Structures are given as C-alpha cells and as structure tokens.
Amino acid sequence: MRSSSGRFDLDGKTALVTGASRGIGRAIALGLAEAGADVAILARSTAALAEVAKEIEAMGRRAVAYTCDIDDSEQTYQTVAAAITELGQLDVVVNNAGGFEHVGPFLAMTADDWTKILRTNLESVVHVCRAVGGHMTGRGTGSVINVASVGGYNGVPMLSPYAVAKAGVISLTRTLAIEWGAAGVRVNAIAPGWTRTQLTSSFAGNPGLSDGLIQAVPLAVWGEPDDLAGAAVYLASDAARMVTGTSLTVDGGVTAYNTGPAMLDLLQAGRIPV
Ligand SMILES: NC(=O)c1ccc[n+]([C@@H]2O[C@H](COP(=O)([O-])OP(=O)(O)OC[C@H]3O[C@@H](n4cnc5c(N)ncnc54)[C@H](OP(=O)(O)O)[C@@H]3O)[C@@H](O)[C@H]2O)c1
C-alpha cells in the first residue's frame, strides 16, 4: 500500500520510535507507518509491542520490535545499532519513552526518585542521540524528534525532576539542531499538553481533578495520543525541510495563557471593566 499524503509522504523512509508499546509512542509509530515509513519500535513490554507491530504490518509496512529498557544505556546503544542494521538505515528517530511513577513535593523526594526520572526522560534521549547521531550526520540526512512536554517550558509543582528533564530535552534539541544542521540532520521537539494515556489515567479518571485541569485548556478537552501523530509526521517529512531547533506545542492552548484562566473567568463574569 502506498500512502497518499503528498508533501508529508514518508514512503521509503525508516523510523525508530521509543516507548511505542502504548500511548503517544504507539500513535506516533502508527502515524509514521500510515505516512509510508517502515518502523522499528522499542519498549519493555514485549507482548504489547507485538500487537503494535501487527498494526503496522496491517498497513503494509515493515515493523521490527525490540524489547529494551531505555534506562539501561548499554541495551539502548545495542538496540539502536540493531535497528540500523535491520532496517538498513534510520531516517527518523522519535525519542518518546518517558514518564514518571511518583509525584510529590521537592522536599519529599529521594535522590533515587530524582535520578530515575532524569535517567528515563533525559539521559535516554542523550544515549539514543549519541547512538544515532554519527549514522545520520554521516549519511547527511535525518530527522530527530524529541517528545518533551509543556512542563519543560515552566515550573511544574509536584514534578520537579520531570520538568527539569523535559527542559533539558528542549535545550538538547536546540543544541543538536545547531551542531548537526550543516550535516543535514534536523532536530526538533514536540511538547504535548494534557493527553489521555496510561501516564495521566489517574488525573483523567478523577472527575474533580480532570475538570480543574481542563479548565486551564482553551480548547477545553483532553488531548488524545493520535493528536501527536500529525505533528510527528510533519517534523519527519520533507514539508519540515527548514524546520529545526524548534518545539512544536500540541497542548490545546494551555501555554497561550499568560495570566492563567482566572483572568478569563473574571472577564466573563463582568468583574473586569472592558
Ligand atoms: N500524556 C501526557 O499528558 C503527556 C504530556 C506531556 C508529555 N508526555 C510525554 O509523552 C511521552 C509518552 O507518554 P505517554 O503519555 O504516552 O505515556 P505512557 O502511556 O505511560 O507510555 C510511555 C511509553 O514509554 C515506554 N517506557 C517508559 N519507560 C521506559 C523504559 N524505561 N524503557 C523503555 N520504554 C519505556 C512505555 O513502554 P513500556 O512500559 O512497555 O516499557 C510506553 O510505551 C513521554 O515522554 C511523556 O513524558 C506525555
């Protein structure tokens, strides 16, 4: 099957997506396949990866699945090397694996909590970029897409190491865009806002909390994993030929606020003279 996405066409391209067993990574892997790419997928859950691989193959694309813990740098380097060998080349790499297990105030956190979140969300991106950078710059082409978060733009109470990690990902994205630009390799980030996945199920599943969070979203809805797929396909494609070092925000408008939603509430309640 050939894709008909025109300037967003990824026919003949190969991609690697980390954290593709579910959620945003799965949606991005399927989106890249739908646009024409063969896709290598990586995560710890072998059975879930096999299901995603089947979905990719059902679109007529090639899928290769790797069980890999991205917290383990050796496994990560070996897996990226295996994907390059298996697919022959990597044109697109999406660093999506990430998340957190605990939330809590800065002072309640252990040093191990801090290290674990930095390892999964920032160091993993460093290792994958180191593993693929020579390959891409050597070929003179490539697109690296780092899944950051709007939490990387601002402070995030109860999630300080996650916010630091995602800010680090955005910073690394800019630096690599500069270092690798002349070699034809583009490096961009995607910054999702609230998106309904396993990571956020305890937030989305709590009506009181969910309503409060969505009140701060101008589009007034939760994002779905598939909302990130189009952004990834765009950044992977030749349509984004001149786009590098940027962070594409997909957040329903959360970061458009300067004042927070309280100002809008006051305006609508007629409490601010206009
Ligand atoms: N959902 C949101 O609202 C939101 C907002 C902003 C940014 N993000 C970012 O979007 C990305 C995807 O998150 P999501 O919401 O889709 O979360 P999710 O549903 O929990 O999926 C996380 C994915 O990462 C993989 N992963 C986690 N730790 C891993 C490890 N050590 N080694 C290998 N794979 C690992 C998981 O696979 P296994 O468990 O099978 O290993 C899974 O495929 C993350 O970087 C997250 O920080 C999410």
Side-chain angles (χ1 to χ4, degrees), residues 178-220:
I178 298 165
E179 290 196 8
W180 295 352
V185 179
R186 297 181 296 105
V187 187
N188 291 289
I190 297 175
W194 292 112
T195 307
R196 209 191 311 255
T197 66
Q198 186 170 308
L199 182 66
T200 53
S201 56
S202 60
F203 303 85
N206 175 334
L209 180 56
S210 176
D211 291 352
L213 295 174
I214 295 311
Q215 217 181 351
V217 179
L219 290 181

mmCIF file of all heavy atoms in Angstrom, residues 178-220:
data_model
loop_
_atom_site.group_PDB
_atom_site.id
_atom_site.type_symbol
_atom_site.label_atom_id
_atom_site.label_comp_id
_atom_site.label_asym_id
_atom_site.label_seq_id
_atom_site.Cartn_x
_atom_site.Cartn_y
_atom_site.Cartn_z
ATOM 1 N N ILE A 178 21.792 22.868 16.100
ATOM 2 C CA ILE A 178 22.901 23.732 15.655
ATOM 3 C C ILE A 178 24.098 22.864 15.230
ATOM 4 O O ILE A 178 24.671 23.048 14.153
ATOM 5 C CB ILE A 178 23.311 24.699 16.787
ATOM 6 C CG1 ILE A 178 22.144 25.630 17.151
ATOM 7 C CG2 ILE A 178 24.540 25.517 16.369
ATOM 8 C CD1 ILE A 178 22.329 26.364 18.477
ATOM 9 N N GLU A 179 24.444 21.890 16.087
ATOM 10 C CA GLU A 179 25.645 21.089 15.798
ATOM 11 C C GLU A 179 25.479 20.227 14.538
ATOM 12 O O GLU A 179 26.444 19.974 13.832
ATOM 13 C CB GLU A 179 25.981 20.185 16.994
ATOM 14 C CG GLU A 179 26.493 20.975 18.201
ATOM 15 C CD GLU A 179 27.185 20.089 19.232
ATOM 16 O OE1 GLU A 179 27.414 18.895 18.971
ATOM 17 O OE2 GLU A 179 27.500 20.622 20.315
ATOM 18 N N TRP A 180 24.253 19.736 14.287
ATOM 19 C CA TRP A 180 24.047 18.776 13.195
ATOM 20 C C TRP A 180 23.402 19.394 11.945
ATOM 21 O O TRP A 180 23.240 18.704 10.928
ATOM 22 C CB TRP A 180 23.165 17.608 13.674
ATOM 23 C CG TRP A 180 23.812 16.761 14.744
ATOM 24 C CD1 TRP A 180 25.105 16.835 15.199
ATOM 25 C CD2 TRP A 180 23.192 15.711 15.515
ATOM 26 N NE1 TRP A 180 25.328 15.907 16.195
ATOM 27 C CE2 TRP A 180 24.180 15.207 16.400
ATOM 28 C CE3 TRP A 180 21.917 15.154 15.540
ATOM 29 C CZ2 TRP A 180 23.895 14.157 17.311
ATOM 30 C CZ3 TRP A 180 21.647 14.122 16.426
ATOM 31 C CH2 TRP A 180 22.628 13.632 17.302
ATOM 32 N N GLY A 181 23.042 20.688 12.021
ATOM 33 C CA GLY A 181 22.321 21.301 10.901
ATOM 34 C C GLY A 181 23.092 21.247 9.591
ATOM 35 O O GLY A 181 22.544 20.880 8.544
ATOM 36 N N ALA A 182 24.375 21.599 9.644
ATOM 37 C CA ALA A 182 25.166 21.642 8.404
ATOM 38 C C ALA A 182 25.321 20.253 7.795
ATOM 39 O O ALA A 182 25.595 20.115 6.600
ATOM 40 C CB ALA A 182 26.539 22.258 8.686
ATOM 41 N N ALA A 183 25.133 19.224 8.618
ATOM 42 C CA ALA A 183 25.221 17.844 8.117
ATOM 43 C C ALA A 183 23.860 17.336 7.633
ATOM 44 O O ALA A 183 23.718 16.148 7.317
ATOM 45 C CB ALA A 183 25.756 16.930 9.214
ATOM 46 N N GLY A 184 22.877 18.233 7.582
ATOM 47 C CA GLY A 184 21.579 17.849 7.003
ATOM 48 C C GLY A 184 20.643 17.131 7.962
ATOM 49 O O GLY A 184 19.633 16.562 7.535
ATOM 50 N N VAL A 185 20.977 17.167 9.249
ATOM 51 C CA VAL A 185 20.124 16.484 10.228
ATOM 52 C C VAL A 185 19.332 17.522 11.019
ATOM 53 O O VAL A 185 19.910 18.439 11.610
ATOM 54 C CB VAL A 185 20.974 15.615 11.186
ATOM 55 C CG1 VAL A 185 20.086 14.934 12.224
ATOM 56 C CG2 VAL A 185 21.755 14.580 10.387
ATOM 57 N N ARG A 186 18.000 17.382 10.990
ATOM 58 C CA ARG A 186 17.128 18.291 11.733
ATOM 59 C C ARG A 186 16.772 17.664 13.085
ATOM 60 O O ARG A 186 16.583 16.452 13.189
ATOM 61 C CB ARG A 186 15.847 18.571 10.942
ATOM 62 C CG ARG A 186 16.113 19.287 9.621
ATOM 63 C CD ARG A 186 14.841 19.594 8.852
ATOM 64 N NE ARG A 186 14.127 18.403 8.427
ATOM 65 C CZ ARG A 186 13.019 17.942 8.970
ATOM 66 N NH1 ARG A 186 12.459 18.581 9.991
ATOM 67 N NH2 ARG A 186 12.441 16.848 8.517
ATOM 68 N N VAL A 187 16.690 18.515 14.115
ATOM 69 C CA VAL A 187 16.359 18.033 15.462
ATOM 70 C C VAL A 187 15.288 18.956 16.038
ATOM 71 O O VAL A 187 15.512 20.171 16.172
ATOM 72 C CB VAL A 187 17.601 18.023 16.391
ATOM 73 C CG1 VAL A 187 17.263 17.359 17.723
ATOM 74 C CG2 VAL A 187 18.778 17.317 15.728
ATOM 75 N N ASN A 188 14.144 18.391 16.325
ATOM 76 C CA ASN A 188 13.026 19.181 16.852
ATOM 77 C C ASN A 188 12.395 18.466 18.036
ATOM 78 O O ASN A 188 12.625 17.270 18.245
ATOM 79 C CB ASN A 188 11.965 19.382 15.757
ATOM 80 C CG ASN A 188 12.454 20.282 14.652
ATOM 81 O OD1 ASN A 188 12.603 21.495 14.829
ATOM 82 N ND2 ASN A 188 12.760 19.691 13.489
ATOM 83 N N ALA A 189 11.581 19.222 18.771
ATOM 84 C CA ALA A 189 10.825 18.619 19.875
ATOM 85 C C ALA A 189 9.338 18.781 19.614
ATOM 86 O O ALA A 189 8.911 19.655 18.846
ATOM 87 C CB ALA A 189 11.207 19.292 21.196
ATOM 88 N N ILE A 190 8.565 17.922 20.252
ATOM 89 C CA ILE A 190 7.119 18.094 20.327
ATOM 90 C C ILE A 190 6.801 18.237 21.814
ATOM 91 O O ILE A 190 7.302 17.454 22.630
ATOM 92 C CB ILE A 190 6.358 16.870 19.765
ATOM 93 C CG1 ILE A 190 6.659 16.692 18.274
ATOM 94 C CG2 ILE A 190 4.854 17.031 19.981
ATOM 95 C CD1 ILE A 190 6.030 15.439 17.669
ATOM 96 N N ALA A 191 6.006 19.228 22.157
ATOM 97 C CA ALA A 191 5.645 19.429 23.567
ATOM 98 C C ALA A 191 4.144 19.205 23.750
ATOM 99 O O ALA A 191 3.344 20.112 23.494
ATOM 100 C CB ALA A 191 6.046 20.826 24.025
ATOM 101 N N PRO A 192 3.759 17.987 24.160
ATOM 102 C CA PRO A 192 2.333 17.759 24.408
ATOM 103 C C PRO A 192 1.878 18.447 25.690
ATOM 104 O O PRO A 192 2.664 18.623 26.627
ATOM 105 C CB PRO A 192 2.234 16.233 24.589
ATOM 106 C CG PRO A 192 3.561 15.655 24.208
ATOM 107 C CD PRO A 192 4.560 16.764 24.381
ATOM 108 N N GLY A 193 0.606 18.814 25.707
ATOM 109 C CA GLY A 193 -0.044 19.198 26.961
ATOM 110 C C GLY A 193 -0.777 17.978 27.493
ATOM 111 O O GLY A 193 -0.408 16.835 27.199
ATOM 112 N N TRP A 194 -1.860 18.196 28.238
ATOM 113 C CA TRP A 194 -2.595 17.074 28.846
ATOM 114 C C TRP A 194 -3.137 16.138 27.777
ATOM 115 O O TRP A 194 -3.970 16.542 26.958
ATOM 116 C CB TRP A 194 -3.749 17.596 29.701
ATOM 117 C CG TRP A 194 -3.296 18.328 30.915
ATOM 118 C CD1 TRP A 194 -3.432 19.663 31.175
ATOM 119 C CD2 TRP A 194 -2.620 17.764 32.052
ATOM 120 N NE1 TRP A 194 -2.872 19.965 32.407
ATOM 121 C CE2 TRP A 194 -2.371 18.822 32.965
ATOM 122 C CE3 TRP A 194 -2.190 16.470 32.390
ATOM 123 C CZ2 TRP A 194 -1.718 18.616 34.179
ATOM 124 C CZ3 TRP A 194 -1.535 16.276 33.599
ATOM 125 C CH2 TRP A 194 -1.308 17.338 34.483
ATOM 126 N N THR A 195 -2.658 14.911 27.797
ATOM 127 C CA THR A 195 -3.048 13.918 26.794
ATOM 128 C C THR A 195 -3.477 12.655 27.524
ATOM 129 O O THR A 195 -2.790 12.209 28.454
ATOM 130 C CB THR A 195 -1.854 13.614 25.860
ATOM 131 O OG1 THR A 195 -1.354 14.853 25.348
ATOM 132 C CG2 THR A 195 -2.265 12.721 24.708
ATOM 133 N N ARG A 196 -4.590 12.082 27.098
ATOM 134 C CA ARG A 196 -5.176 10.946 27.812
ATOM 135 C C ARG A 196 -4.404 9.659 27.488
ATOM 136 O O ARG A 196 -4.570 9.097 26.397
ATOM 137 C CB ARG A 196 -6.632 10.800 27.386
ATOM 138 C CG ARG A 196 -7.521 10.195 28.461
ATOM 139 C CD ARG A 196 -8.856 9.824 27.895
ATOM 140 N NE ARG A 196 -9.494 10.853 27.122
ATOM 141 C CZ ARG A 196 -10.527 11.585 27.541
ATOM 142 N NH1 ARG A 196 -11.004 11.414 28.741
ATOM 143 N NH2 ARG A 196 -11.076 12.474 26.732
ATOM 144 N N THR A 197 -3.559 9.223 28.422
ATOM 145 C CA THR A 197 -2.790 7.975 28.260
ATOM 146 C C THR A 197 -2.721 7.283 29.622
ATOM 147 O O THR A 197 -3.224 7.816 30.616
ATOM 148 C CB THR A 197 -1.343 8.252 27.792
ATOM 149 O OG1 THR A 197 -0.663 8.952 28.842
ATOM 150 C CG2 THR A 197 -1.291 9.062 26.507
ATOM 151 N N GLN A 198 -2.035 6.162 29.655
ATOM 152 C CA GLN A 198 -1.841 5.477 30.946
ATOM 153 C C GLN A 198 -1.120 6.393 31.944
ATOM 154 O O GLN A 198 -1.401 6.375 33.138
ATOM 155 C CB GLN A 198 -1.029 4.195 30.717
ATOM 156 C CG GLN A 198 -0.899 3.344 31.960
ATOM 157 C CD GLN A 198 -0.297 1.986 31.633
ATOM 158 O OE1 GLN A 198 -0.773 1.281 30.736
ATOM 159 N NE2 GLN A 198 0.741 1.617 32.344
ATOM 160 N N LEU A 199 -0.202 7.199 31.431
ATOM 161 C CA LEU A 199 0.563 8.099 32.301
ATOM 162 C C LEU A 199 -0.342 9.053 33.071
ATOM 163 O O LEU A 199 -0.067 9.386 34.226
ATOM 164 C CB LEU A 199 1.556 8.906 31.437
ATOM 165 C CG LEU A 199 2.479 9.874 32.159
ATOM 166 C CD1 LEU A 199 3.470 9.132 33.053
ATOM 167 C CD2 LEU A 199 3.240 10.748 31.168
ATOM 168 N N THR A 200 -1.401 9.498 32.422
ATOM 169 C CA THR A 200 -2.272 10.514 33.033
ATOM 170 C C THR A 200 -3.612 9.931 33.484
ATOM 171 O O THR A 200 -4.533 10.681 33.798
ATOM 172 C CB THR A 200 -2.540 11.658 32.032
ATOM 173 O OG1 THR A 200 -3.027 11.079 30.808
ATOM 174 C CG2 THR A 200 -1.300 12.468 31.746
ATOM 175 N N SER A 201 -3.722 8.576 33.521
ATOM 176 C CA SER A 201 -5.035 7.970 33.805
ATOM 177 C C SER A 201 -5.542 8.358 35.194
ATOM 178 O O SER A 201 -6.743 8.539 35.377
ATOM 179 C CB SER A 201 -4.979 6.454 33.638
ATOM 180 O OG SER A 201 -3.974 5.930 34.465
ATOM 181 N N SER A 202 -4.636 8.520 36.154
ATOM 182 C CA SER A 202 -5.122 8.868 37.499
ATOM 183 C C SER A 202 -5.604 10.324 37.549
ATOM 184 O O SER A 202 -6.420 10.679 38.393
ATOM 185 C CB SER A 202 -4.037 8.624 38.549
ATOM 186 O OG SER A 202 -2.921 9.405 38.260
ATOM 187 N N PHE A 203 -5.131 11.162 36.642
ATOM 188 C CA PHE A 203 -5.603 12.555 36.553
ATOM 189 C C PHE A 203 -6.932 12.583 35.786
ATOM 190 O O PHE A 203 -7.915 13.141 36.243
ATOM 191 C CB PHE A 203 -4.601 13.452 35.827
ATOM 192 C CG PHE A 203 -3.218 13.496 36.426
ATOM 193 C CD1 PHE A 203 -2.264 12.550 36.115
ATOM 194 C CD2 PHE A 203 -2.860 14.506 37.308
ATOM 195 C CE1 PHE A 203 -0.996 12.593 36.663
ATOM 196 C CE2 PHE A 203 -1.591 14.568 37.866
ATOM 197 C CZ PHE A 203 -0.658 13.603 37.539
ATOM 198 N N ALA A 204 -6.928 11.945 34.594
ATOM 199 C CA ALA A 204 -8.119 11.996 33.726
ATOM 200 C C ALA A 204 -9.276 11.237 34.357
ATOM 201 O O ALA A 204 -10.440 11.571 34.135
ATOM 202 C CB ALA A 204 -7.794 11.412 32.350
ATOM 203 N N GLY A 205 -8.956 10.201 35.160
ATOM 204 C CA GLY A 205 -10.002 9.370 35.739
ATOM 205 C C GLY A 205 -10.606 9.948 37.008
ATOM 206 O O GLY A 205 -11.525 9.366 37.574
ATOM 207 N N ASN A 206 -10.104 11.067 37.463
ATOM 208 C CA ASN A 206 -10.622 11.705 38.681
ATOM 209 C C ASN A 206 -11.391 12.961 38.262
ATOM 210 O O ASN A 206 -10.781 13.983 37.922
ATOM 211 C CB ASN A 206 -9.430 12.049 39.579
ATOM 212 C CG ASN A 206 -9.822 12.826 40.816
ATOM 213 O OD1 ASN A 206 -10.848 13.521 40.822
ATOM 214 N ND2 ASN A 206 -9.026 12.722 41.850
ATOM 215 N N PRO A 207 -12.745 12.898 38.231
ATOM 216 C CA PRO A 207 -13.527 13.990 37.637
ATOM 217 C C PRO A 207 -13.193 15.366 38.230
ATOM 218 O O PRO A 207 -13.033 16.342 37.488
ATOM 219 C CB PRO A 207 -14.973 13.601 37.937
ATOM 220 C CG PRO A 207 -14.947 12.128 38.156
ATOM 221 C CD PRO A 207 -13.591 11.797 38.715
ATOM 222 N N GLY A 208 -13.049 15.430 39.546
ATOM 223 C CA GLY A 208 -12.759 16.740 40.166
ATOM 224 C C GLY A 208 -11.446 17.302 39.650
ATOM 225 O O GLY A 208 -11.353 18.475 39.264
ATOM 226 N N LEU A 209 -10.440 16.442 39.619
ATOM 227 C CA LEU A 209 -9.109 16.862 39.177
ATOM 228 C C LEU A 209 -9.110 17.156 37.678
ATOM 229 O O LEU A 209 -8.587 18.190 37.221
ATOM 230 C CB LEU A 209 -8.107 15.751 39.514
ATOM 231 C CG LEU A 209 -6.650 15.963 39.149
ATOM 232 C CD1 LEU A 209 -6.116 17.240 39.771
ATOM 233 C CD2 LEU A 209 -5.828 14.762 39.627
ATOM 234 N N SER A 210 -9.713 16.266 36.921
ATOM 235 C CA SER A 210 -9.737 16.418 35.462
ATOM 236 C C SER A 210 -10.410 17.736 35.063
ATOM 237 O O SER A 210 -9.884 18.490 34.235
ATOM 238 C CB SER A 210 -10.472 15.222 34.838
ATOM 239 O OG SER A 210 -10.594 15.397 33.459
ATOM 240 N N ASP A 211 -11.566 18.025 35.678
ATOM 241 C CA ASP A 211 -12.276 19.269 35.346
ATOM 242 C C ASP A 211 -11.393 20.477 35.644
ATOM 243 O O ASP A 211 -11.338 21.432 34.867
ATOM 244 C CB ASP A 211 -13.580 19.385 36.148
ATOM 245 C CG ASP A 211 -14.606 18.356 35.693
ATOM 246 O OD1 ASP A 211 -14.349 17.683 34.674
ATOM 247 O OD2 ASP A 211 -15.639 18.225 36.376
ATOM 248 N N GLY A 212 -10.693 20.422 36.777
ATOM 249 C CA GLY A 212 -9.823 21.543 37.151
ATOM 250 C C GLY A 212 -8.701 21.730 36.143
ATOM 251 O O GLY A 212 -8.381 22.860 35.752
ATOM 252 N N LEU A 213 -8.121 20.615 35.687
ATOM 253 C CA LEU A 213 -7.011 20.715 34.726
ATOM 254 C C LEU A 213 -7.515 21.243 33.382
ATOM 255 O O LEU A 213 -6.873 22.104 32.758
ATOM 256 C CB LEU A 213 -6.354 19.341 34.523
ATOM 257 C CG LEU A 213 -5.647 18.742 35.747
ATOM 258 C CD1 LEU A 213 -5.184 17.326 35.453
ATOM 259 C CD2 LEU A 213 -4.465 19.612 36.143
ATOM 260 N N ILE A 214 -8.666 20.741 32.951
ATOM 261 C CA ILE A 214 -9.163 21.097 31.619
ATOM 262 C C ILE A 214 -9.690 22.535 31.591
ATOM 263 O O ILE A 214 -9.734 23.179 30.543
ATOM 264 C CB ILE A 214 -10.208 20.053 31.150
ATOM 265 C CG1 ILE A 214 -9.518 18.694 30.968
ATOM 266 C CG2 ILE A 214 -10.899 20.457 29.862
ATOM 267 C CD1 ILE A 214 -8.234 18.698 30.148
ATOM 268 N N GLN A 215 -10.006 23.052 32.758
ATOM 269 C CA GLN A 215 -10.417 24.462 32.850
ATOM 270 C C GLN A 215 -9.302 25.395 32.356
ATOM 271 O O GLN A 215 -9.565 26.491 31.882
ATOM 272 C CB GLN A 215 -10.709 24.784 34.312
ATOM 273 C CG GLN A 215 -11.866 25.729 34.469
ATOM 274 C CD GLN A 215 -12.096 26.036 35.948
ATOM 275 O OE1 GLN A 215 -11.507 25.415 36.832
ATOM 276 N NE2 GLN A 215 -12.937 27.013 36.194
ATOM 277 N N ALA A 216 -8.068 24.936 32.456
ATOM 278 C CA ALA A 216 -6.937 25.762 32.021
ATOM 279 C C ALA A 216 -6.563 25.512 30.559
ATOM 280 O O ALA A 216 -5.551 26.012 30.077
ATOM 281 C CB ALA A 216 -5.732 25.474 32.916
ATOM 282 N N VAL A 217 -7.393 24.707 29.853
ATOM 283 C CA VAL A 217 -7.111 24.399 28.445
ATOM 284 C C VAL A 217 -8.098 25.172 27.571
ATOM 285 O O VAL A 217 -9.302 24.906 27.605
ATOM 286 C CB VAL A 217 -7.267 22.878 28.163
ATOM 287 C CG1 VAL A 217 -6.988 22.564 26.700
ATOM 288 C CG2 VAL A 217 -6.353 22.068 29.074
ATOM 289 N N PRO A 218 -7.644 26.161 26.782
ATOM 290 C CA PRO A 218 -8.575 26.933 25.961
ATOM 291 C C PRO A 218 -9.483 26.075 25.075
ATOM 292 O O PRO A 218 -10.655 26.397 24.919
ATOM 293 C CB PRO A 218 -7.651 27.830 25.132
ATOM 294 C CG PRO A 218 -6.482 28.047 26.042
ATOM 295 C CD PRO A 218 -6.284 26.735 26.749
ATOM 296 N N LEU A 219 -8.974 24.977 24.517
ATOM 297 C CA LEU A 219 -9.842 24.124 23.683
ATOM 298 C C LEU A 219 -10.755 23.241 24.532
ATOM 299 O O LEU A 219 -11.625 22.551 24.001
ATOM 300 C CB LEU A 219 -9.011 23.267 22.716
ATOM 301 C CG LEU A 219 -8.338 24.047 21.576
ATOM 302 C CD1 LEU A 219 -7.551 23.089 20.667
ATOM 303 C CD2 LEU A 219 -9.356 24.819 20.736
ATOM 304 N N ALA A 220 -10.546 23.263 25.844
ATOM 305 C CA ALA A 220 -11.469 22.665 26.825
ATOM 306 C C ALA A 220 -11.674 21.156 26.678
ATOM 307 O O ALA A 220 -12.737 20.642 27.026
ATOM 308 C CB ALA A 220 -12.825 23.388 26.791
#
